[in-house]
Amino acid sequence: MAPTSYVAVFAFLEKDGKFLSMRRSNTGYMDGHLTLPSGHVEVNETPNEAVIREVKEEVGIDLALEKIQHCHAQHYLRFGDRIYTNHYYWAKCDGEPFNAEPEKCSELVWQDIDQDSPDILKQVKLAFRSIKEKKHYSEITLQEGEIQ
């Protein structure tokens, strides 16, 4: 049986040498951990359109297409039954973000770009490290029960 395949987008929103992260809550997956504004690409939607939509839905920031930069792609095999193609984008954060989905996020956290946070999702941490090393692609595999 072939694994199920998904496409997801993540946004590194930068402001004053920090990037915005969100603490997951009530989602059933890695609650309490930090991630970026992110989500799945919907039917008839491109990754560019999805990241713009997700950032607006989750933190209330309007991004213009010309202001986002695709900076990393990642093949992520989760538990052997789900394949994700993750697209990471970088954008300057103009405006003041707010927690627009408090039912899924307990807090917004600005993190120092040079800081390696122990509670950020493993795939996001790998992508960020790869971007800093100017690598445009990474692969990660997580097994059932593996802690991020």
Side-chain angles (χ1 to χ4, degrees):
M1 184 164 114
T4 303
S5 184
Y6 301 92
V7 179
V9 294
F10 294 79
F12 284 103
L13 298 177
E14 180 188 359
K15 189 174 195 174
D16 302 324
K18 297 181 184 281
F19 69 89
L20 185 66
S21 59
M22 309 170 65
R23 192 164 310 277
R24 297 179 64 84
S25 178
N26 301 315
T27 67
Y29 176 72
M30 300 306 291
D31 290 333
H33 286 77
L34 294 170
T35 191
L36 304 172
S38 58
H40 291 105
V41 175
E42 295 180 354
V43 174
N44 296 320
E45 185 177 54
T46 68
N48 287 349
E49 293 167 337
V51 75
I52 290 168
R53 176 185 50 77
E54 289 290 351
V55 166
K56 176 68 173 175
E57 288 176 0
E58 294 185 0
V59 296
I61 296 293
D62 288 308
L63 292 177
L65 182 60
E66 63 273 5
K67 299 285 187 171
I68 63 172
Q69 178 183 359
H70 186 274
C71 56
H72 193 73
Q74 182 181 72
H75 179 85
Y76 170 35
L77 179 59
R78 186 174 129 194
F79 313 146
D81 66 346
R82 289 184 179 198
I83 294 173
Y84 284 84
T85 299
N86 294 335
H87 293 277
Y88 292 85
Y89 291 82
W90 201 277
K92 292 283 186 185
C93 184
D94 296 325
E96 198 55 45
F98 63 93
N99 185 359
E101 293 186 330
E103 69 282 2
K104 297 179 184 177
C105 170
S106 62
E107 68 176 327
L108 300 182
V109 178
W110 285 102
Q111 293 189 271
D112 195 329
I113 285 177
D114 294 321
Q115 178 185 1
D116 188 18
S117 175
D119 57 348
I120 199 157
L121 294 180
K122 194 172 184 177
Q123 65 270 28
V124 174
K125 189 181 293 192
L126 172 62
F128 188 63
R129 187 175 339 116
S130 297
I131 292 164
K132 286 176 28 178
E133 295 171 359
K134 304 215 183 309
K135 296 178 182 173
H136 300 285
Y137 177 75
S138 64
E139 296 180 354
I140 186 168
T141 299
L142 294 179
Q143 302 301 322
E144 186 75 53
E146 185 175 357
I147 299 296
Q148 299 250 355

